[in-house]
Amino acid sequence: MPVSSAFAESNRAQTERLRRLVQRLDADALRQTMPNGWTVAGTLAHLAFWDRQRLCLMRRWAAGDFCNGGYDGDLFNATSQPLLELIPPERAAQAAREAAEEIDAFLLEVSTDLVATALARPDAPPLDRGSHRQDHLDRVEQALAAAPPVPPDAGQ
């Protein structure tokens, strides 16, 4: 067994516990707010994200790709995209707009020293969010332009 028997048993027991919990949760229970401010659904999504992240990472390592440390956008995209696709489309669009507005406003208000410190890190975050958005928005607009028109009564 590749992992210790203790890890295997812990994983098995808690996965079974998760199965039982998910079976009995209704919509109201999933919306219940927890003491930390997360909902039950958000907490379960958190578990899903980190389990999937570890799975993607271990699969990459098993294939001989040990990464070079630091931030790995491909890994995080592979980890999160299946979960992101579960978000209702209208909410995803709204969330993208809200997040863009929030980071733009924050970057205009934060101190120059903090920006310099962030950019001096070896794993410096890309603060030019516009270029990231541009790439994805270009792709979205190209895909929409290439798509056949949707009949007016579609989706009703």
Side-chain angles (χ1 to χ4, degrees):
M1 175 182 315
V3 296
S4 72
S5 58
F7 280 9
E9 176 54 25
S10 174
N11 292 344
R12 186 208 60 74
Q14 295 308 313
T15 297
E16 183 54 36
R17 182 177 173 203
L18 177 63
R19 280 188 196 107
R20 289 190 310 266
L21 175 66
V22 168
Q23 282 181 324
R24 72 174 195 259
L25 294 174
D26 62 12
D28 288 337
L30 288 166
R31 283 191 219 87
Q32 178 67 39
T33 302
M34 299 178 35
N36 65 356
W38 296 9
T39 62
V40 169
T43 301
L44 294 173
H46 171 87
L47 290 175
F49 175 85
W50 285 105
D51 279 348
R52 182 165 296 282
Q53 192 273 348
R54 296 306 191 259
L55 172 64
C56 290
L57 182 62
M58 294 304 292
R59 282 181 173 161
R60 285 182 72 179
W61 288 353
D65 180 0
F66 289 94
C67 317
N68 58 359
Y71 174 78
D72 184 336
D74 289 338
L75 174 63
F76 280 93
N77 285 338
T79 301
S80 62
Q81 197 61 36
L83 298 171
L84 297 175
E85 296 296 342
L86 298 174
I87 298 171
E90 296 80 10
R91 182 62 186 115
Q94 178 185 357
R97 181 188 48 79
E98 290 171 356
E101 291 169 353
E102 287 182 48
I103 187 67
D104 289 355
F106 181 81
L107 290 174
L108 291 174
E109 297 170 1
V110 72
S111 75
T112 304
D113 289 343
L114 180 59
V115 170
T117 298
L119 293 176
R121 293 178 53 96
D123 60 346
L127 299 182
D128 178 4
R129 304 309 307 143
S131 63
H132 183 247
R133 288 181 210 137
Q134 180 181 7
D135 177 53
H136 290 289
L137 293 173
D138 287 350
R139 293 178 195 200
V140 166
E141 289 172 347
Q142 289 167 4
L144 291 172
V150 177
D153 61 345
Q156 294 181 1

